[in-house]
Every structure is written in structure tokens, then in C-alpha cells.
């Protein structure tokens, strides 16, 4: 009985989060006590507005970034920055010195390039960052049936790099391979049948660190937002993807 | 008489800002109505604490970044990202599509790589970003008399890339060549005889854009911070550097 109740609560929680994402609302995703121990404010990129960026910078305070599936990155031939750096160490030997071989909670950096939409001005205002994110999601949806070369050219027609919006790319096998925010978010987008591009920002606390989980839960309650932990998403994903 | 009074005020304003920087206080730098039209909260990187990062993300809300002199970048052999990208278009053709040849207010992007100190955990918390910035300033001071290879290795021993702290590099001739925040800030550091590494963050407003100048002045007044416009720094620099 208690197990059933817990299962019911668990499904309700995931379903509520999926509904919220589909309605353009924020949800909160905490990865894991044994990983970063951070919560991200997350929203489907296709619904991002200047107001969303403001919420992320005011209530989050971390990096405001895009998370996309490897399918989208492959279509656009987007490299991981770490790979790009390791291929250019002959010309830029400093990149060899800076190799990120000691990330405490992970084996590999998810960062690809930083972009701005070409119609942005400085690139950093709420209006500019929301334009970059929303249009990126639209592009990701539109290129699904295009060949890679064509997709890449459409990308370059609308976006430039360097820019102010970092793109993190999920690993191919998603949660079977890595359980970072990028994979958690892209899996949620897939389960919600949304374009696999999410926007997020880590929530900082007042003590120099990430906001502790209990305080995030309080924030979720006060703002009527769904709060998910990584393992809930992993469980749901296993059921959904099999 | 009036001209003398204005000159007096002007010198006082710059001198106060230099004193504040030397005391580890924030100053406010507005570039120009005809450029970005943005104000950055600026502090000497050597004095950055977790509290400074918190102030930048709460009262600023833009990108929290490092600005360094070209001398320091040369010692570390740090490339501009735009140059790095343009040298790797054979292997990564998407970078050719993304070429930033249409920045509305400038000819060239100042972005170099993003770094984290190797002793950071996620890299994004106030504690982590302040460690990255403060230690970068210490490194910049310590490498002054080292040869390039040695400086570069010391850099890699302490820092990794990709990371969460973007480095912007000033042009060699500073304000004679470009009048962006990076050059304005590095010039202020030089006039203040501080390590040429500044930390800054653009101040966003509630309407989706940068906080308007009159509201920034109000913020400056309320917080007892010096407010400078780009042309004041350019004038002072011309006198100081000749």
C-alpha cells in the first residue's frame, strides 16, 4: 500500500512536470547528492521570453545556458569545445595545458560553443538572450528533416559565435551514459514530446554555494513549481524509453 | 571658471574611482550612448570575494567576466576565440558559418576562452567563481617576469578550460584603438597601478534591456559607488599615458 502510494506520488510528480514544461512553465531539477548537488531552473527553450531570462538571473544566478540533444548537435556539426581545443593544441599550445582532465564530478565537459542570434545587439540583455534561445529551439525543430550541410548553413545565417549563450550537448545515450543536468533536461523534453532544447540556470544560495535542497523545495512550493530529483527522471526515462 | 569647476569635478571623479578600485570597492563604468549603452559593475580581480560575485549576479545580472591586458594574454599565449575558430574551419566547418562578422557595435569579439580554477567544484558558485578570478589575478601578477612557456605551464597547472569564467582580452593600444568595457577597465587598472585584471558584470534593468543610465546613477548614489562614463576615462588615459 505504502509502496503503491509512493509510486503514485512519483508518477504524479513527473507527469505534473511534463505538463508544466508543455505549458511553458519552469520546473526545478536537482541532479544528485553525489554529483553536483545543484538545482537548475529549467524551461523548454521554445517558450523562453525575456521574463524567463529575468527569472533565471534573479532567482537562479548561475550560468544561463542551452541544453540540446546530440541529434541536434550532429545536424549542426557542433563540436564539443574540449574536442575542438584538443585538435588545435599545435597552434595553440596553451589549450594543452588547460585540458579539463580533472572535473571533480564528471569525465567530460558538455560545453559546445557560445552563440548569439545575429539580430541581438549586445547579446546579454533579457531580450537578446531570450531571442537567442527561442530561435535556437525553432531552428532545432526546423532542421529535423534537412541534411547536415543545409542545417549548418541555416544555423550560421541566424547565429554567430562567440556569443553569450553557452550550448551544452547531451551524450548520445542520455541517462544510460551520463546523469548530468543536460541529459536530465533533454530526457524530460523528449518525454514531454517537446523540441529537445532546454534552457536552464543553476540556483545559487546566499552562502557562496548552490541553494541547499530544502530551500529549493521551499522556493518550489512558494512558486508552485514542480521539483524533481535526478533519480526520479532516470526511473521515468527507463520506463518510457524501453 | 565653470570650465575649471568641471575639470575639477572630472579629476575628482576619476581619482575617487581609482582610490575605490585600490581599496577593493566596486565602481560603475558606462561605455557610451553610441556604443553598447551598458554599465558594468567593475572590481579589481585581485580583491574579488564570494560576496563580490553575489553582488554582480544580484545587482548586475549580465555576464560575470574577466578583463585582462594583452600583455597578460600574450604571456599566457591565450588566443581570441574568434581567431581560434577561424583556424579550425577545415575540421569544424560550422565555425565558418558562425563567423561573427556582424557585431553591431564593434569590429571584433574580445572573447578568449572560459576557465575554471582546478580547485573549483562545479565552477559556478560564488565561492568557485571568486576563486577563479582572484587566483587569475595573482597569476597575472606572478608571471610578469617569467618567459612565456613557463607562464603558460603555471597557468595550466592551476586552471582548466572549458570553464565558467570568460576572459576578455583588451586590444594592445587600449583606448587609442577600442573603447569597449575591456579597454576602459584595463586602462583604469593601469592608472590605479593594479594588476591589469578586472572583473565585471553588465547591469540589467527590469524592462528586458540594460538598466538606463539615470537609474544606474541612482544606484551609484545609493551605494556610494563612483560612476564613470567612457569618455571621462578616455580623457584621463590620454593625459596619463602621454
Amino acid at each position: 500500500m505504502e509502496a503503491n502510494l509512493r509510486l503514485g506520488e512519483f508518477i504524479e510528480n513527473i507527469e505534473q512536470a511534463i505538463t508544466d514544461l508543455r505549458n511553458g512553465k519552469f520546473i526545478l531539477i536537482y541532479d544528485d547528492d553525489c554529483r553536483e548537488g545543484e538545482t537548475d531552473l529549467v524551461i523548454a527553450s521554445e517558450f523562453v521570453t525575456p521574463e524567463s531570462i529575468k527569472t533565471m538571473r534573479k532567482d537562479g544566478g548561475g550560468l544561463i545556458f542551452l541544453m540540446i540533444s546530440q541529434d541536434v548537435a550532429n545536424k549542426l556539426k557542433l563540436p564539443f569545445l574540449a574536442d575542438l581545443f584538443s585538435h588545435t593544441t599545435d597552434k595553440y599550445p596553451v589549450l594543452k595545458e588547460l585540458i579539463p582532465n580533472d572535473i571533480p564530478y564528471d569525465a567530460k565537459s558538455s560545453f559546445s560553443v557560445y552563440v548569439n542570434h545575429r539580430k541581438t545587439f549586445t547579446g546579454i540583455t533579457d531580450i537578446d538572450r531570450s531571442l537567442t534561445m527561442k530561435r535556437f529551439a525553432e531552428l532545432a525543430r526546423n532542421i529535423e528533416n534537412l541534411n547536415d550541410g543545409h542545417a549548418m548553413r541555416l544555423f550560421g545565417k541566424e547565429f554567430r559565435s562567440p556569443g553569450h549563450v553557452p550550448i551544452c550537448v547531451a551524450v548520445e545515450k542520455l541517462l544510460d551514459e551520463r546523469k548530468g543536468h543536460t541529459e536530465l533536461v533533454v530526457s524530460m523534453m523528449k518525454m514531454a514530446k517537446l523540441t529537445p532544447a532546454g534552457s536552464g540556470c543553476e540556483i545559487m544560495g546566499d552562502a557562496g554555494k548552490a541553494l541547499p535542497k530544502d530551500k529549493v523545495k521551499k522556493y518550489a512550493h512558494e512558486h508552485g513549481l514542480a521539483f524533481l530529483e535526478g533519480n526520479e527522471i532516470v526511473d521515468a526515462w527507463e520506463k518510457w524509453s524501453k
Side-chain angles (χ1 to χ4, degrees), chain A:
Chain A
M1 178 66 194
E2 202 191 324
N4 273 343
L5 188 68
R6 279 216 303 274
L7 183 66
E9 267 177 23
F10 155 74
I11 292 172
E12 205 181 305
N13 209 14
I14 287 278
E15 281 179 353
Q16 184 61 51
I18 285 174
T19 304
D20 287 354
L21 283 176
R22 295 186 63 89
N23 287 330
K25 273 185 75 176
F26 277 108
I27 66 168
L28 296 157
I29 299 182
Y30 175 83
D31 59 346
D32 193 286
D33 295 338
C34 303
R35 215 177 161 279
E36 293 183 330
E38 280 182 353
T39 307
D40 283 13
L41 258 168
V42 173
I43 187 169
S45 302
E46 58 197 282
F47 298 123
V48 164
T49 64
E51 196 65 28
S52 327
I53 305 290
K54 186 170 150 188
T55 300
M56 288 192 271
R57 64 179 170 78
K58 291 217 168 201
D59 294 357
L63 193 74
I64 299 179
F65 65 118
L66 264 171
M67 292 160 273
I68 65 170
S69 69
Q70 191 152 111
D71 287 350
V72 173
N74 287 346
K75 276 271 177 195
L76 301 175
K77 302 195 189 231
L78 266 181
F80 284 104
L81 267 190
D83 292 340
L84 190 149
F85 287 176
S86 74
H87 278 108
T88 51
T89 51
D90 282 352
K91 184 156 180 74
Y92 301 107
V94 66
L95 300 174
K96 194 169 181 181
E97 303 295 335
L98 296 170
I99 280 180
N101 53 0
D102 59 349
I103 303 177
Y105 53 85
D106 216 328
K108 198 184 166 185
S109 159
S110 302
F111 280 110
S112 180
V113 297
Y114 287 60
V115 294
N116 282 347
H117 193 276
R118 291 193 187 269
K119 291 212 170 117
T120 59
F121 184 61
T122 63
I124 193 66
T125 62
D126 297 345
I127 289 173
D128 279 357
R129 283 198 274 189
S130 75
L131 177 70
T132 295
M133 290 190 155
K134 193 178 159 65
R135 291 295 285 270
F136 188 94
E138 287 167 7
L139 177 84
R141 192 170 52 235
N142 293 338
I143 59 174
E144 245 178 55
N145 299 313
L146 298 181
N147 65 43
D148 298 4
H150 191 178
M152 196 174 71
R153 281 191 298 278
L154 274 185
F155 183 36
K157 217 171 146 186
E158 277 205 69
F159 295 86
R160 69 173 100 94
S161 180
H164 291 81
V165 175
I167 301 176
C168 284
V169 179
V171 297
E172 194 182 345
K173 292 180 182 168
L174 287 172
L175 298 170
D176 297 332
E177 193 180 337
R178 186 177 181 273
K179 294 172 176 64
H181 278 108
T182 305
E183 288 76 22
L184 293 167
V185 168
V186 169
S187 304
M188 285 298 293
M189 296 299 153
K190 288 195 180 244
M191 289 191 279
K193 297 192 169 53
L194 291 164
T195 307
S199 297
C201 181
E202 305 93 348
I203 306 183
M204 296 295 121
D206 281 334
K209 300 181 179 177
L211 190 69
K213 193 160 59 172
D214 57 328
K215 291 196 176 168
V216 174
K217 283 183 174 172
K218 192 163 167 272
Y219 174 86
H221 183 73
E222 284 165 5
H223 292 79
L225 301 180
F227 173 87
L228 296 177
E229 298 209 24
N231 58 17
E232 294 179 86
I233 300 175
V234 171
D235 286 352
W237 177 254
E238 275 174 7
K239 289 184 186 71
W240 187 86
S241 62
K242 294 306 180 260

